[in-house]
Amino acid sequence: MDTPSSTNPAVRALKSLIDSGELGQIYYLDAARLNLGLFQNGVNVLWDLAPHDISIIYYLLDQDPISVNATGMPCVFRGLYDVVYINLVFPNDVLAHIHVSWLEPCKVRRLTVVGSSTMVVYNDIEPMEKIKIYDKG
Protein backbone atom coordinates (compact mmCIF):
# COMPACT_ATOMS: atom_id res chain seq x y z
CA MET A 1 0.00 0.00 0.00
CA ASP A 2 1.31 3.44 -0.91
CA THR A 3 1.75 5.97 1.86
CA PRO A 4 2.15 9.71 1.24
CA SER A 5 5.88 9.27 1.88
CA SER A 6 6.26 6.43 -0.61
CA THR A 7 4.61 8.42 -3.41
CA ASN A 8 7.24 11.19 -3.29
CA PRO A 9 9.95 10.38 -5.89
CA ALA A 10 12.74 12.00 -3.84
CA VAL A 11 11.77 10.07 -0.71
CA ARG A 12 11.63 6.85 -2.74
CA ALA A 13 15.13 7.61 -4.07
CA LEU A 14 16.36 8.21 -0.52
CA LYS A 15 14.88 4.89 0.62
CA SER A 16 16.57 3.16 -2.30
CA LEU A 17 19.94 4.61 -1.22
CA ILE A 18 19.39 3.39 2.34
CA ASP A 19 18.15 -0.06 1.29
CA SER A 20 21.05 -0.53 -1.15
CA GLY A 21 23.55 -0.15 1.69
CA GLU A 22 25.29 2.73 -0.07
CA LEU A 23 25.12 4.85 3.08
CA GLY A 24 26.60 2.11 5.24
CA GLN A 25 25.25 1.66 8.74
CA ILE A 26 22.67 4.37 9.46
CA TYR A 27 23.73 6.41 12.50
CA TYR A 28 20.98 9.02 12.67
CA LEU A 29 18.38 11.08 10.85
CA ASP A 30 17.79 14.76 11.50
CA ALA A 31 14.60 16.41 10.25
CA ALA A 32 13.58 20.07 10.32
CA ARG A 33 10.18 21.37 9.26
CA LEU A 34 10.19 25.05 10.11
CA ASN A 35 8.30 28.12 9.02
CA LEU A 36 7.21 31.51 10.24
CA GLY A 37 3.50 31.87 10.60
CA LEU A 38 0.31 30.00 10.02
CA PHE A 39 -0.65 29.05 13.54
CA GLN A 40 -3.38 26.43 13.59
CA ASN A 41 -6.07 27.42 16.06
CA GLY A 42 -6.32 24.74 18.73
CA VAL A 43 -3.66 22.43 17.25
CA ASN A 44 -0.06 22.48 18.35
CA VAL A 45 2.86 22.32 15.93
CA LEU A 46 3.59 18.71 16.84
CA TRP A 47 0.26 17.52 15.42
CA ASP A 48 0.36 19.94 12.48
CA LEU A 49 3.89 19.46 11.12
CA ALA A 50 5.60 16.46 12.73
CA PRO A 51 3.43 13.71 11.16
CA HIS A 52 5.04 14.43 7.78
CA ASP A 53 8.56 13.73 9.03
CA ILE A 54 7.49 10.84 11.25
CA SER A 55 5.86 9.21 8.22
CA ILE A 56 8.97 9.69 6.09
CA ILE A 57 11.28 8.32 8.80
CA TYR A 58 9.05 5.27 9.39
CA TYR A 59 9.02 4.63 5.64
CA LEU A 60 12.80 4.99 5.31
CA LEU A 61 13.70 2.78 8.27
CA ASP A 62 10.78 0.36 7.94
CA GLN A 63 10.63 -0.26 11.69
CA ASP A 64 9.06 1.08 14.83
CA PRO A 65 10.99 3.11 17.39
CA ILE A 66 11.86 1.56 20.73
CA SER A 67 11.58 4.92 22.51
CA VAL A 68 10.07 8.33 21.83
CA ASN A 69 10.59 11.60 23.67
CA ALA A 70 9.17 15.01 22.83
CA THR A 71 9.59 18.39 24.42
CA GLY A 72 8.25 21.74 23.37
CA MET A 73 7.20 25.19 24.41
CA PRO A 74 4.18 27.43 23.91
CA CYS A 75 5.98 30.68 23.07
CA VAL A 76 3.27 32.87 21.51
CA PHE A 77 -0.09 31.58 22.72
CA ARG A 78 -0.62 30.01 26.12
CA GLY A 79 -1.15 26.27 25.83
CA LEU A 80 -0.40 26.14 22.08
CA TYR A 81 3.02 24.62 21.47
CA ASP A 82 4.72 26.34 18.55
CA VAL A 83 8.16 24.73 18.84
CA VAL A 84 8.73 21.02 19.49
CA TYR A 85 11.75 18.69 19.46
CA ILE A 86 11.17 14.95 19.08
CA ASN A 87 13.70 12.17 19.56
CA LEU A 88 13.01 8.63 18.40
CA VAL A 89 15.39 5.75 19.03
CA PHE A 90 15.13 2.82 16.64
CA PRO A 91 16.65 -0.67 16.83
CA ASN A 92 20.39 -0.87 16.06
CA ASP A 93 20.90 2.43 17.92
CA VAL A 94 19.54 4.61 15.11
CA LEU A 95 18.47 8.01 16.40
CA ALA A 96 15.96 10.25 14.65
CA HIS A 97 15.60 13.88 15.69
CA ILE A 98 12.73 16.05 14.47
CA HIS A 99 12.47 19.82 14.97
CA VAL A 100 9.17 21.50 14.09
CA SER A 101 8.34 25.16 14.60
CA TRP A 102 6.05 27.93 13.45
CA LEU A 103 8.50 30.57 14.73
CA GLU A 104 11.46 30.28 12.34
CA PRO A 105 12.25 33.15 9.96
CA CYS A 106 13.13 30.79 7.07
CA LYS A 107 11.04 28.01 5.63
CA VAL A 108 12.88 24.70 5.99
CA ARG A 109 11.84 21.22 4.85
CA ARG A 110 14.99 19.16 5.27
CA LEU A 111 15.92 15.61 6.26
CA THR A 112 19.54 14.55 6.71
CA VAL A 113 20.50 10.88 6.88
CA VAL A 114 23.97 10.15 8.25
CA GLY A 115 25.52 6.77 7.58
CA SER A 116 28.92 5.26 8.23
CA SER A 117 29.92 5.70 4.55
CA THR A 118 27.80 8.49 3.12
CA MET A 119 25.43 11.26 4.14
CA VAL A 120 22.35 12.41 2.24
CA VAL A 121 20.33 15.60 2.54
CA TYR A 122 16.77 15.67 1.23
CA ASN A 123 15.62 19.27 0.84
CA ASP A 124 11.98 19.44 -0.22
CA ILE A 125 12.25 23.21 -0.81
CA GLU A 126 14.87 22.79 -3.55
CA PRO A 127 13.23 22.98 -6.97
CA MET A 128 15.93 21.02 -8.83
CA GLU A 129 18.28 19.03 -6.59
CA LYS A 130 16.10 17.68 -3.81
CA ILE A 131 18.69 15.04 -2.88
CA LYS A 132 22.39 15.74 -2.32
CA ILE A 133 24.86 12.99 -1.48
CA TYR A 134 27.95 13.74 0.60
CA ASP A 135 30.82 11.27 0.75
CA LYS A 136 32.27 11.17 4.26
CA GLY A 137 35.70 10.17 2.87
Side-chain angles (χ1 to χ4, degrees), residues 16-135:
S16 179
L17 286 169
I18 292 170
D19 290 349
S20 75
E22 185 174 335
L23 304 183
Q25 177 187 347
I26 302 302
Y27 291 148
Y28 71 88
L29 298 88
D30 187 88
R33 189 168 294 265
L34 316 169
N35 203 30
L36 180 62
L38 198 56
F39 287 84
Q40 302 296 324
N41 189 14
V43 177
N44 76 49
V45 73
L46 179 116
W47 300 116
D48 184 43
L49 297 182
H52 302 287
D53 294 308
I54 292 169
S55 173
I56 291 170
I57 290 167
Y58 271 47
Y59 172 69
L60 293 176
L61 297 179
D62 197 27
Q63 53 189 335
D64 293 330
I66 55 176
S67 75
V68 178
N69 178 300
T71 186
M73 182 66 67
C75 298
V76 177
F77 299 108
R78 180 180 283 213
L80 184 64
Y81 284 61
D82 38 39
V83 61
V84 173
Y85 299 90
I86 307 161
N87 288 307
L88 302 100
V89 178
F90 289 86
N92 300 320
D93 296 323
V94 176
L95 175 68
H97 175 80
I98 302 170
H99 176 199
V100 290
S101 175
W102 288 320
L103 300 178
E104 294 284 331
C106 299
K107 185 174 184 175
V108 175
R109 301 286 186 267
R110 183 184 61 240
L111 174 67
T112 303
V113 181
V114 176
S116 59
S117 302
T118 306
M119 298 172 282
V120 178
V121 175
Y122 162 51
N123 187 343
D124 198 35
I125 302 294
E126 276 293 321
M128 298 297 285
E129 292 182 345
K130 290 192 179 290
I131 297 222
K132 291 186 181 175
I133 300 172
Y134 298 86
D135 187 351

